[in-house]
Amino acid sequence: METLSYGSAPCCQVVNSNWKSVDKSSNSRKSKVSYFANHGVDCNSYRISLCGSVRFYDMVLQQRGFRPQNSAEGSRRIKLKVYSGNYDGYVIGEEESRDISGLEEHATKVLIPGLPDESKGESEVSISSCFREWKPKLNIHYEKAGCDNLGSSHVLFLPGFGVGSFHYEKQLKDLGHDFRVWALDFLGQGMSLPFEDPAPLSKEGTTSNGNISSWGFGDETEPWATKLVYSADLWQEQVRYFVEEVIGEPVYIVGNSLGGYVALYFAACNPHLVKGVTLLNATPFWGFLPNPVKSPRLAKIFPWAGTFPLPSNIKRLTELLWEKISDPKSIAEVLNQVYVDHSTNVDNVFSRIVEITRHPAAAASFASIMCAPQGELSFSETLSRCRTNNVPICLMYGKEDPWVTPFWGVQVKNKVPEAPYYQISPAGHCPHDEVPEVINFLLRGWIRNLESQGSLSLPLLEELDSIKHTIDRELEFPREGSKKSVMVKFLGSSVSLWDRIRSYIKSDSKFRNLAAKSQ
């Protein structure tokens, strides 16, 4: 898709009605004015003031039955605005339409960019894969991109359970143009599995199941693995080490599912290292056994809590479960469940998960994770601490998530009413991989809103006082030669329960109409 794009000086500049002159003080790229002529847009009808870098995308004037007969009618029926021009301003088209109740209202469509497309000369940021030893024999795998963007903000991504840094490839390749971007694998997952056996078998020992790997199934623990347990507390400490020793500066931290829980936990314990937290369908709890620090007496009731070696009964249970869980068919079924849009290509995610399950330490690590104690802080307690320490929080949730349903996202919003809440539909448990265009757009806008100390409006909000309202936006973006649309709801901080229910009903209706139209 062609774009009209240029960079401008901090001051506001004006493009004249013939789109021919721009203030010479700007260091601009060549504008592709022919794009508007080729798409039937009368440039003489518009006069737009611009601040910052602005990109104009195809306005799709012919959709929803709009048939302008002339430029005057077009300018009357379509209202063009520059949305948040200071951070990749995107043109908004407001079209008159009717909702299911028959009442006249403005349905706003926001056109955002797709992911970088190398076939169109758009470069992807290269990703570097690295290892860092934290403690003896415990190596952290991470990926990074955009580290040459000196002076830009650091953004750290934390993965969900069972995946790794590879799950954020679409963020690293895109957001790496603007930020210094990092993604790490939690210890015991991804490529942060141990390089050596934490509890090797004795010479006489054998595995009870020839199909399962043997690492961690021995009878004696290696010195470096003493008291090792893959828990939320360990991961919180891991993130702290990584931010302090590898990144070296406070970060914006983003977490999906389990990663969201750990991101919030880390922020609650280390507010001085966090500039903001974004939760992507964050799981609101983790762990089943009591925490030994928080509930020492209750914890003593349980003889084992995820340490090595595994007890004999846990070994047998793990062997039974692991054979089913690690089966490629089971992995495919889970991906089919959590990804709402089945047209999303998950081949790479699938192959990487299968690869992880074949690591000799994977089965015992899984057992340690599932039997690890709860974190010292609950999800609710981390939210309270973050609010007390004024840690900015942003919520981006896929509406059709079968695991972390909208109920949980709204619960977080109720506890942190000032947090921007973006509900995306259709999108499931992993919106960053299913609709990365939307997540990347919202992340850019939210971070720049914070970096500007509020002088730039939040994504999808044209005026700062709009934060008190619930609004719906249809976001459209290019993907693989076609166009895709999703609905995004912004939930304001001063909305009654009835207004939320009514807004959900209206949003569902709009989505059904959108789905029917796409078919």
Side-chain angles (χ1 to χ4, degrees):
M1 178 177 293
E2 289 188 296
T3 64
L4 173 61
S5 173
Y6 56 86
S8 64
C11 61
C12 186
Q13 299 179 354
V14 178
V15 182
N16 68 18
S17 59
N18 293 320
W19 297 86
K20 291 181 180 179
S21 63
V22 176
D23 192 328
K24 294 182 180 180
S25 65
S26 65
N27 297 320
S28 62
R29 287 170 286 181
K30 293 183 179 180
S31 303
K32 299 182 179 178
V33 183
S34 60
Y35 168 77
F36 289 92
N38 294 337
H39 288 74
V41 179
D42 186 353
C43 297
N44 292 309
S45 301
Y46 309 108
R47 182 180 182 86
I48 302 179
S49 296
L50 305 174
C51 288
S53 178
V54 181
R55 299 176 184 175
F56 294 87
Y57 290 84
D58 185 352
M59 296 307 298
V60 199
L61 300 181
Q62 304 302 319
Q63 290 200 3
R64 292 192 177 180
F66 175 66
R67 298 291 186 272
Q69 299 300 317
N70 51 57
S71 61
E73 180 182 352
S75 63
R76 183 174 67 253
R77 294 286 299 279
I78 296 289
K79 185 178 181 182
L80 298 184
K81 296 182 180 180
V82 175
Y83 168 71
S84 299
N86 288 24
Y87 67 88
D88 290 342
Y90 301 97
V91 174
I92 296 178
E94 288 188 339
E95 307 177 33
E96 293 184 5
S97 62
R98 295 179 179 272
D99 63 8
I100 58 172
S101 64
L103 299 177
E104 196 78 14
E105 70 168 15
H106 286 287
T108 304
K109 178 181 290 186
V110 182
L111 293 97
I112 66 175
L115 298 178
D117 188 345
E118 291 187 328
S119 66
K120 296 181 180 180
E122 301 168 355
S123 62
E124 295 180 341
V125 178
S126 60
I127 299 175
S128 300
S129 179
C130 313
F131 284 91
R132 175 81 172 223
E133 186 179 73
W134 175 26
K135 298 178 180 181
K137 310 297 183 179
L138 293 179
N139 295 279
I140 300 173
H141 173 260
Y142 64 96
E143 296 182 343
K144 61 180 181 179
C147 291
D148 293 334
N149 299 325
L150 300 180
S152 63
S153 299
H154 294 273
V155 185
L156 173 61
F157 290 91
L158 304 182
F161 173 62
V163 291
S165 55
F166 61 85
H167 212 198
Y168 289 111
E169 179 180 309
K170 297 170 184 176
Q171 279 66 51
L172 270 68
K173 288 184 176 181
D174 183 12
L175 296 177
H177 284 289
D178 306 301
F179 308 108
R180 287 174 282 182
V181 190
W182 312 76
L184 60 77
D185 295 354
F186 290 134
L187 289 170
Q189 300 193 73
M191 294 177 67
S192 290
L193 288 163
F195 291 169
E196 296 181 16
D197 191 343
L201 293 165
S202 61
K203 295 181 179 180
E204 297 80 13
T206 58
T207 59
S208 58
N209 187 334
N211 296 323
I212 193 169
S213 58
S214 60
W215 283 20
F217 281 76
D219 300 320
E220 295 184 4
T221 305
E222 291 292 301
W224 61 268
T226 301
K227 297 183 179 181
L228 173 64
V229 53
Y230 297 122
S231 66
D233 286 308
L234 177 73
W235 296 325
Q236 187 275 133
E237 293 176 7
Q238 174 190 350
V239 176
R240 183 185 63 192
Y241 164 80
F242 189 81
V243 173
E244 289 180 336
E245 300 299 328
V246 180
I247 297 179
E249 296 180 23
V251 300
Y252 289 98
I253 191 164
V254 185
N256 170 237
S257 190
L258 167 62
Y261 178 91
V262 177
L264 202 63
Y265 195 174
F266 167 73
C269 296
N270 308 276
H272 62 291
L273 296 176
V274 178
K275 301 176 73 174
V277 180
T278 300
L279 303 182
L280 306 174
N281 291 72
T283 180
F285 43 80
W286 189 259
F288 301 102
L289 302 185
N291 185 277
V293 175
K294 190 173 184 179
S295 305
R297 293 183 179 180
L298 187 59
K300 290 180 180 179
I301 299 176
F302 300 89
W304 184 72
T307 54
F308 295 91
L310 278 61
S312 57
N313 58 336
I314 298 298
K315 292 178 185 178
R316 290 192 294 269
L317 180 60
T318 301
E319 290 170 355
L320 293 174
L321 290 177
W322 189 250
E323 186 174 357
K324 173 64 177 178
I325 293 171
S326 62
D327 183 71
K329 291 182 180 179
S330 298
I331 296 172
E333 290 175 0
V334 171
L335 292 176
N336 186 65
Q337 182 182 17
V338 298
Y339 280 75
V340 175
D341 185 354
H342 294 162
S343 66
T344 305
N345 188 338
V346 296
D347 291 348
N348 180 58
V349 175
F350 172 78
S351 61
R352 295 296 296 274
I353 294 175
V354 171
E355 180 183 355
I356 292 170
T357 63
R358 293 173 178 170
H359 191 284
S365 298
F366 165 77
S368 176
I369 292 170
M370 297 309 296
C371 295
Q374 298 171 353
E376 192 171 339
L377 295 178
S378 69
F379 189 78
S380 180
E381 289 170 332
T382 61
L383 282 173
S384 297
R385 282 202 184 186
C386 286
R387 287 200 73 194
T388 300
N389 291 304
N390 297 316
V391 176
I393 296 175
C394 185
L395 311 173
M396 302 178 191
Y397 281 62
K399 183 181 179 182
E400 286 73 30
D401 186 348
W403 295 349
V404 183
T405 61
F407 168 81
W408 295 109
V410 173
Q411 287 295 307
V412 177
K413 173 65 177 177
N414 289 338
K415 293 179 179 179
V416 192
E418 68 275 11
Y421 179 97
Y422 297 94
Q423 183 175 267
I424 307 163
S425 180
H429 189 60
C430 309
H432 61 285
D433 195 44
E434 197 167 3
V435 282
E437 300 90 347
V438 175
I439 296 300
N440 294 358
F441 168 75
L442 295 177
L443 273 174
R444 278 190 173 98
W446 182 65
I447 291 174
R448 287 169 178 172
N449 167 263
L450 292 179
E451 290 292 305
S452 70
Q453 297 182 340
S455 63
L456 294 177
S457 61
L458 287 166
L460 305 185
L461 299 184
E462 301 168 32
E463 299 176 358
L464 293 179
D465 59 0
S466 298
I467 194 172
K468 297 181 179 180
H469 307 293
T470 296
I471 61 174
D472 291 286
R473 295 287 185 262
E474 179 184 344
L475 269 61
E476 185 176 275
F477 46 89
R479 181 185 289 183
E480 297 179 351
S482 61
K483 293 177 181 177
K484 184 177 179 64
S485 294
V486 298
M487 296 298 300
V488 176
K489 177 187 297 296
F490 175 88
L491 191 61
S493 57
S494 301
V495 183
S496 67
L497 177 62
W498 169 245
D499 287 338
R500 291 181 184 180
I501 295 174
R502 183 169 55 186
S503 182
Y504 282 133
I505 295 174
K506 183 181 292 185
S507 177
D508 288 339
S509 300
K510 288 183 178 180
F511 170 64
R512 287 195 294 269
N513 292 338
L514 180 64
K517 187 179 298 182
S518 64
Q519 293 175 354

